[in-house]
Amino acid sequence: MLLIHCPYCDETLPEPEFAYAGEAHIARPADPMALTDEEWRDFLFIRSNPRGTHYERWRHVHGCGRFFNAIRDTVSDKFAMTYRAGEPRPNLDALKEAAE
Amino acid sequence: MTAQIHTFPRSPVTVAVRPLATRFSLRLRPGHRETGEAALGLPLPHRIGRISVEGGRQALCLGPDEWQLDAPEAEADAIRAALPGSLPHALVEVTDREVTFVLEGPGVLDLLSIGIARDLSRLEIGRGARTVFDGVQAVLVREAGERFTLSVWRSFAPHVEELLHRGARELALGL
Ligand SMILES: [Zn+2]
């Protein structure tokens, strides 16, 4: 079972309290009418689906109820970090260097 | 020879239903928390899981903008009237929505572990949490080292109660 750190509760808690909510940092276009069908399709359906570092959303649904973001390795399932919704996308390489 | 057991050993944990006095769900933006505290005459903790008590009133912080308020029935009207309309908030009475179980005894952590994946030995006395018990959303409060309350929505209560009694019985039999 995954253990996930909720940045609002500031606790590391078991996965059944959380719900996965897709890739993070995807902003809805401000003016959808200005988009081509292909651009709109890409916004709706096309995701990066990386092998490795993935920026993704989670929700502490059976807890504080908040959405937040996480960086997880899709191969090892290891969480690098979690951070509050609305915060800028952290630079993982810079964080790794700072930790070393 | 078959020995028939007529008396069962005492369970290391008891399960009982605690009648609720009055419970409210309060939603309030973090920026309005202090105004809400002054109006209610009750501190609203800003850390999730913390509980404050003032007189007979109690507030448990469930989220950055969410509290569970418990109070004696006689204070219900006063609480309903406490928050001014000029303060954006949502206050909903949820007394009849929930059933609260009191679980007590040296086996209480073992009993809760049948439904909750959290490490509850780390939950400090006097704190609470919203979590999930065997798939059912629940609010758990550690009132004492060996006493917890578990509140679930009424429609889930028969399932939770059956499971708790079964678990307590298994613990009593040493299974
Ligand atoms: Zn949380």
Side-chain angles (χ1 to χ4, degrees):
Chain A
M1 185 184 298
L2 295 174
L3 293 173
I4 303 171
H5 185 263
C6 173
Y8 293 93
C9 295
D10 196 20
E11 277 194 86
T12 301
L13 299 164
E15 187 189 348
E17 292 191 9
F18 297 85
Y20 179 69
E23 187 171 355
H25 301 293
I26 293 175
R28 189 176 197 277
D31 182 10
M33 292 299 282
L35 265 57
T36 64
D37 285 353
E38 287 69 30
E39 286 169 330
W40 186 243
R41 174 204 64 199
D42 288 353
F43 159 68
L44 286 179
F45 303 115
I46 306 302
R47 295 294 177 263
S48 59
N49 194 25
R51 183 179 193 277
T53 303
H54 190 224
Y55 292 72
E56 58 194 21
R57 295 197 310 157
W58 285 80
R59 186 180 179 207
H60 193 189
V61 58
H62 297 302
C64 63
R66 293 289 122 167
F67 282 90
F68 59 91
N69 294 332
I71 309 175
R72 180 179 59 95
D73 190 299
T74 57
V75 179
S76 67
D77 242 0
K78 268 201 172 138
F79 283 87
M81 67 176 292
T82 57
Y83 51 101
R84 293 181 178 217
E87 286 180 7
R89 185 187 185 104
N91 185 330
L92 194 58
D93 293 330
L95 287 169
K96 273 183 187 157
E97 272 171 32
E100 278 162 12
Chain B
M1 283 238 320
T2 311
Q4 205 173 359
I5 303 171
H6 292 288
T7 54
F8 287 98
R10 269 173 62 84
S11 173
V13 55
T14 57
V15 177
V17 174
R18 176 185 291 173
L20 275 181
T22 309
R23 175 165 290 172
F24 290 92
S25 165
L26 171 66
R27 304 294 301 263
L28 195 63
R29 290 218 174 115
H32 294 137
R33 189 176 58 85
E34 285 172 15
T35 318
E37 285 181 330
L40 286 164
L42 171 69
L44 296 172
H46 70 279
R47 296 268 322 259
I48 295 166
R50 306 295 170 103
I51 293 172
S52 66
V53 181
E54 186 73 49
R57 301 180 182 182
Q58 177 181 306
L60 162 62
C61 183
L62 290 174
D65 58 357
E66 183 178 2
W67 290 268
Q68 174 185 286
L69 307 181
D70 284 298
E73 211 170 338
E75 292 184 26
D77 286 336
I79 289 179
R80 270 186 218 112
L83 295 162
S86 57
L87 180 72
H89 70 277
L91 182 75
V92 180
E93 186 177 349
V94 294
T95 314
D96 290 327
R97 181 182 76 179
E98 305 192 354
V99 174
T100 296
F101 298 100
V102 187
L103 317 171
E104 187 166 21
V108 70
L109 289 175
D110 290 332
L111 178 63
L112 285 168
S113 74
I114 67 177
I116 297 179
R118 283 191 183 217
D119 178 5
L120 291 175
S121 63
R122 284 172 46 213
L123 183 65
E124 290 181 35
I125 295 164
R127 292 202 192 156
R130 183 158 48 200
T131 180
V132 63
F133 179 89
D134 194 53
V136 178
Q137 185 163 294
V139 174
L140 186 73
V141 173
R142 188 171 204 173
E143 295 188 335
E146 294 180 348
R147 188 174 75 244
F148 288 75
T149 62
L150 184 76
S151 298
V152 296
W153 285 22
R154 188 167 290 281
S155 56
F156 297 107
H159 163 66
V160 171
E161 186 165 31
E162 162 71 20
L163 195 60
L164 288 170
H165 280 299
R166 193 177 294 212
R169 177 79 175 262
E170 288 190 354
L171 288 171
L173 295 170
L175 293 177

